Amino acid sequence: MPKPLVIGNWKMNGSLELTSELIHSIESSIDAKISCEVGLCVPFVYIDLARRILTTQQLSIGAQNISAYSGGAYTGEVSAAMLAEFGCRWVLIGHSERRQLFKETDNELVLKLKLAQENDMCAVFCVGETQQERESGKAFSVIERQIKTLLDDDNVCLEKVVFAYEPVWAIGTGLTATPEEAQEVHAFIRDLLRNKIGQSADKIRIIYGGSVKPENAQSLFDQQDINGGLIGGASLDKDAFLSICQNAK
Ligand code: PGA
């Protein structure tokens, strides 16, 4: 079984104060109460402060997005190489907010993922269906389409990708997939990976995101193919986030 992983996704939230407060409290609980690996994907501007105050390797910093270009005249973009230079271990690729609000396409996301890998960062590749897609019975075909672009590209190292299943209808809504619903999709993703790379797929982390809270974390993380969580809203609350991390054993 891969080591469980919990990643906080702050989205466009946070402050200098929250950055240092949250990192100090997570670090003081690591070892004693937290045994999983923990990542924090903070807004770009807080990355440098975060990495300067980090003292343990069990907690690492990530970004929420990278450019699909490696460098040059792309005003406003931040490259994978820059983030690697600032010690980022993780980068979220294809979060549903990026797919929906910023119209990021499957092809663009593969370019981003390959740049992350070329710069030794671990891509957290997010997939998930909308409510309408689930209700019309298309959840599995949508997820398969989202993952297929990676499977079809021989320059992607699948073993180094973390997959995050985030049903769009559960993000920030308070609705959560039941542990059984989530497990069913995680097992489906694992099967897609097994078909491509065989038993190595069993070592890949597939984490769940969508209104994970201290109250539901344990039952989700208990599922066989759920290897941790991607936490939005609750990652901004120190106590809630710590409690979720403690549930990932
Ligand atoms: P949520 O967000 O935990 O607030 O639902 C999860 C995410 O968007 O990664």
Side-chain angles (χ1 to χ4, degrees):
M1 288 272 272
K3 184 171 175 147
L5 167 67
V6 174
I7 297 187
N9 171 16
W10 283 13
K11 312 195 180 189
M12 200 170 69
N13 297 298
S15 61
L16 291 171
E17 195 184 341
L18 187 74
T19 305
S20 53
E21 192 186 293
L22 211 78
I23 288 180
H24 287 310
S25 31
I26 297 170
E27 291 207 314
S28 58
S29 298
I30 270 175
D31 293 336
K33 298 197 190 121
I34 297 177
S35 53
C36 67
E37 194 173 350
V38 183
L40 276 187
C41 291
V42 300
F44 290 137
V45 287
Y46 301 130
I47 288 172
D48 189 41
L49 170 66
R51 66 129 184 190
R52 281 172 198 271
I53 56 181
L54 272 183
T55 57
T56 158
Q57 290 202 333
Q58 206 172 324
L59 173 63
S60 44
I61 299 304
Q64 301 169 14
N65 183 30
I66 51 171
S67 178
Y69 301 98
S70 58
Y74 300 101
T75 303
E77 293 285 273
V78 175
S79 76
M82 291 170 186
L83 293 170
E85 194 180 11
F86 276 82
C88 277
R89 169 151 161 69
W90 314 100
V91 60
L92 304 182
I93 309 262
H95 188 282
S96 63
E97 286 149 18
R98 305 267 354 145
R99 290 179 191 263
Q100 292 193 323
L101 302 174
F102 301 96
K103 310 285 174 241
E104 294 190 358
T105 63
D106 291 329
N107 290 339
E108 195 180 356
L109 297 176
V110 182
L111 292 177
K112 292 184 177 207
L113 186 135
K114 287 195 285 192
L115 282 169
Q117 293 197 330
E118 279 164 26
N119 286 279
D120 291 327
M121 284 186 289
C122 180
V124 180
F125 189 74
C126 307
V127 298
E129 80 286 1
T130 62
Q131 180 142 30
Q132 201 192 9
E133 288 162 344
R134 175 154 279 260
E135 281 165 5
S136 56
K138 293 197 193 121
F140 292 92
S141 59
V142 166
I143 289 159
E144 185 165 7
R145 191 209 73 223
Q146 291 169 336
I147 290 183
K148 197 172 178 305
T149 38
L150 299 191
L151 300 180
D152 288 348
D153 192 317
D154 290 336
N155 293 318
V156 168
C157 179
L158 287 170
E159 286 86 345
K160 290 192 179 156
V161 178
V162 170
F163 288 85
Y165 169 52
E166 296 206 303
V168 180
W169 47 272
I171 295 179
T173 57
L175 298 172
T176 319
T178 64
E180 295 73 26
E181 276 170 338
Q183 164 59 27
E184 195 184 12
V185 176
H186 282 235
F188 175 73
I189 295 173
R190 180 111 40 219
D191 276 344
L192 291 175
L193 297 171
R194 268 199 206 113
N195 289 342
K196 178 77 184 177
I197 55 168
Q199 294 306 310
S200 311
D202 295 352
K203 299 200 190 96
I204 295 180
R205 294 191 275 203
I206 308 175
I207 61 178
Y208 171 82
S211 299
V212 179
K213 303 180 262 302
E215 304 81 61
N216 59 21
Q218 179 77 67
S219 57
L220 287 159
F221 298 163
D222 277 349
Q223 301 298 310
Q224 173 160 2
D225 289 293
I226 301 186
N227 309 117
L230 181 54
I231 320 299
S235 71
L236 295 160
D237 176 325
K238 173 167 63 83
D239 296 329
F241 189 61
L242 285 175
S243 156
I244 292 169
C245 291
Q246 284 167 26
N247 278 306
K249 301 185 194 90

